Amino acid sequence: MKISIIGTGYVGLVTAVGLAELGHQIVATDKDLTKIYKLQAGIIPIYEPGLEELFKKVRAKGLISFIPDLATAIQESEVIFVCVGTPPLADGSADMSQIEEVARLIAENLNSYKLVVEKSTVPVKTSYWIKRTINLYKKSEASFDIASNPEFLREGSAVQDFLHPDRIIIGVENERAREIMLKIYERFQEKIIVTNIDTAELIKHASNSFLAMKISFINLMANICEKTEADIEKVALGMGLDPRIGREFLKAGIGYGGSCFPKDIKALTRIGEELGVEMGLLKEAHKINEDRIRLFLEKVRKALWVIKGKRVAVLGLSFKPNTDDIREAPSLKVISELRREEASIHLYDPKAMDNMKRIFPEDPPNLVYHSNLYEAIKGANALLILTEWDEFCQMDLDRVKNLMANPIIIDGRNIFEPEEIRKKGFEYYCFGRH
Ligand code: UDX
């Protein structure tokens, strides 16, 4: 099938490459033309494991192309996947202006039947607004349908998630749209669940909010562990072995970040409230997460007493391992605070340093980026671990101890066994463990 993809961020690009791998003919576009020119030249503007290889493969087969002109992309395809951003507004609701703009452009270029597929995470009822917008602005008699097909891929394993989905949710309101969507995902037939559009939209927000809530729950238990003799890793194991609870997403630490959980939990809270539903449960989950940074900094102060003038190494700038994405990463708030308190900050991340430099430009000797983790920790009074990259979990602790001025580790991700690391001579702080 001929499919256009509007928006080539993490979701749009993985969807474009993934759908091409399923054998469809993809034309992708973005209003950020520098991205399009890079992609035309064969350069992937983000880091996502496996994406480059798959991109090269589908590109060599001629299944994917990138064009700057959105009108042409719309006119030439029957199916349009909308993958533009829905960032949070100050009040927590999702900013729908990019979706609205795309809806207007689809209306203006409606030259034949189109199926408009919402791929970006959108609030329940968005399809109503897209439909209304297209009807208001369209100039031809051509018909169109809306479908919701929420994306569940995780950054860092997005390509694998696309190619091996747990489920594919398709929200449609008629047979024509249903048949097109089933054809697109023919290869994953047994994974498909067809619902109405409101349900599909809500499944996405509900899934992300539930997972965020699960993390906040275990973090709340970690707080109790810290006041008692309990150990959060064992609590999580003991809980998680109950299949109704499950082992995943029970890792306590500095809290969730990224472009989805913080935004989606706030957006669902807003929608619920607008609909007159009491949303205290989600508000509390968000509040617990916000408090993680304060608790982490409290540990840093407990270890260092005065932060001013201390040399602090910070490992892990992305919001989680295997991505260069720093959106809503705990590192942003931690670095801001360390800067405010005038620490000398030494940073290292395997992939996210270029992105971080745009927010916190190099400012030696107060803020320095290093090309490897051992350089970053040389002479440090404390080492802060903010994401659990493999490279950090496997670091040579004897070497680390020799390089640091004071062997103090404040671990936001519980990557070490407290007893073992203390035996090696470190002063060690983590969440919910003794
Ligand atoms: C998430 C959803 O998992 C995915 O289905 C959806 O499409 C987009 O949002 P992503 O944001 O890429 O994906 O990351 P995810 O792996 O879910 O982690 C989110 C955050 O939670 C990270 O900051 C991670 O460090 C944190 N986390 C995760 C924990 O703190 N503890 C855990 O047990 C699990």
Side-chain angles (χ1 to χ4, degrees):
M1 291 192 84
K2 200 154 182 202
I3 299 173
S4 66
I5 306 282
I6 303 180
T8 56
Y10 285 87
V11 169
L13 204 48
V14 175
T15 304
V17 171
L19 289 175
E21 170 67 8
L22 296 186
H24 303 298
Q25 187 69 45
I26 306 298
V27 55
T29 180
D30 197 296
K31 66 179 179 181
D32 179 351
L33 297 185
T34 56
K35 266 191 200 165
I36 294 300
Y37 298 141
K38 272 191 186 164
L39 288 161
Q40 282 176 335
I43 301 164
I44 299 265
I46 55 169
Y47 171 72
E48 185 59 47
L51 186 59
E52 196 167 345
E53 293 81 344
L54 199 60
F55 173 61
K56 279 190 185 142
K57 181 179 161 197
V58 293
R59 195 163 172 253
K61 284 188 184 166
L63 287 170
I64 195 163
S65 62
F66 298 90
I67 58 168
D69 182 25
L70 193 131
T72 309
I74 294 169
Q75 285 162 12
E76 286 185 356
S77 38
E78 186 185 0
V79 185
I80 302 162
F81 275 68
V82 182
C83 304
V84 296
T86 51
L89 290 169
D91 68 355
S93 61
D95 178 356
M96 301 305 285
S97 57
Q98 293 183 53
I99 299 262
E100 200 229 20
E101 188 185 337
V102 169
R104 273 190 278 124
L105 288 164
I106 292 173
E108 282 161 21
N109 292 287
L110 199 70
N111 56 340
S112 56
Y113 173 80
K114 308 283 172 200
L115 177 62
V116 180
V117 184
E118 302 168 355
K119 194 69 172 159
S120 317
T121 302
V122 292
V124 61
K125 287 286 168 211
T126 297
S127 71
Y128 160 82
W129 289 105
I130 296 180
K131 196 189 257 181
R132 180 178 152 80
T133 307
I134 299 179
N135 277 326
L136 277 177
Y137 290 91
K138 74 176 191 162
K139 293 175 188 133
S140 82
E141 287 309 307
S143 65
F144 68 94
D145 284 310
I146 312 280
S148 165
N149 170 221
E151 187 47 68
F152 297 105
L153 51 83
R154 292 162 300 172
E155 288 179 28
S157 55
V159 172
Q160 282 308 308
D161 289 348
F162 186 96
L163 298 175
H164 306 280
D166 300 323
R167 76 288 207 200
I168 290 182
I169 306 293
I170 290 173
V172 283
E173 53 188 4
N174 63 35
E175 192 50 33
R176 185 176 189 176
R178 182 175 172 271
E179 265 172 25
I180 294 172
M181 292 305 292
L182 291 183
K183 202 165 149 206
I184 292 174
Y185 288 112
E186 209 168 11
R187 197 192 290 179
F188 305 127
Q189 270 175 42
E190 68 287 6
K191 304 276 179 172
I192 296 176
I193 293 177
V194 180
T195 68
N196 66 24
I197 297 183
D198 282 3
T199 305
E201 289 170 340
L202 188 57
I203 286 172
K204 173 66 199 239
H205 260 156
S207 302
N208 275 1
S209 298
F210 189 85
L211 290 170
M213 210 172 63
K214 203 171 171 190
I215 298 169
S216 280
F217 183 86
I218 202 70
N219 281 332
L220 186 66
M221 294 305 113
N223 292 352
I224 294 184
C225 289
E226 289 185 13
K227 309 277 181 203
T228 62
E229 295 301 308
D231 180 312
I232 195 60
E233 295 289 320
K234 305 254 167 58
V235 171
L237 177 66
M239 284 172 63
L241 287 171
D242 181 335
R244 293 169 302 175
I245 297 174
R247 298 278 303 273
E248 303 274 326
F249 276 72
L250 287 180
K251 186 92 190 137
I254 197 166
Y256 58 79
S259 64
C260 295
F261 288 178
K263 165 173 88 91
D264 292 350
I265 203 164
K266 279 186 269 178
L268 185 54
T269 302
R270 285 289 304 173
I271 300 157
E273 285 179 343
E274 277 164 24
L275 296 169
V277 178
E278 173 54 56
M279 299 300 285
L281 183 62
L282 296 194
K283 277 188 192 164
E284 199 54 41
H286 170 66
K287 217 169 96 195
I288 291 168
N289 196 57
E290 294 271 287
D291 203 36
R292 301 315 284 166
I293 305 286
R294 183 188 67 77
L295 292 171
F296 181 77
L297 290 164
E298 213 169 67
K299 292 176 197 294
V300 177
R301 284 192 198 95
K302 195 170 159 198
L304 289 180
W305 187 24
V306 175
I307 291 181
K308 187 173 175 171
K310 294 275 165 59
R311 191 175 168 120
V312 178
V314 179
L315 300 187
L317 306 178
S318 53
F319 79 99
K320 67 172 196 177
N322 304 318
T323 177
D324 61 353
D325 194 348
I326 58 167
R327 284 175 290 177
E328 300 274 343
S331 60
L332 295 165
K333 286 181 183 156
V334 170
I335 296 170
S336 287
E337 188 56 25
L338 292 175
R339 257 175 104 59
R340 202 182 62 75
E341 298 201 27
E342 298 179 36
S344 164
I345 310 166
H346 292 259
L347 305 167
Y348 173 71
D349 186 282
K351 292 285 175 202
M353 290 199 288
D354 286 343
N355 285 338
M356 195 52 93
K357 281 179 190 166
R358 283 184 216 122
I359 313 242
F360 293 108
E362 191 132 27
D363 174 25
N366 304 322
L367 189 112
V368 185
Y369 289 88
H370 293 272
S371 55
N372 74 67
L373 80 91
Y374 298 102
E375 284 297 320
I377 60 181
K378 214 183 266 172
N381 299 109
L383 163 57
L384 277 46
I385 297 170
L386 303 186
T387 55
E388 67 278 33
W389 280 91
D390 279 349
E391 201 181 321
F392 306 159
C393 302
Q394 287 151 17
M395 63 187 155
D396 176 347
L397 288 168
D398 294 323
R399 192 172 162 198
V400 170
K401 185 164 172 266
N402 286 332
L403 284 169
M404 291 181 75
N406 307 111
I408 300 176
I409 297 181
I410 300 120
D411 178 0
R413 299 289 178 180
N414 287 6
I415 66 176
F416 296 117
E417 275 302 316
E419 208 174 308
E420 281 171 26
I421 197 155
R422 287 188 189 121
K423 260 193 213 147
K424 283 197 172 289
F426 286 91
E427 196 175 311
Y428 181 66
Y429 300 81
C430 59
F431 281 102
R433 307 196 78 186
H434 302 283

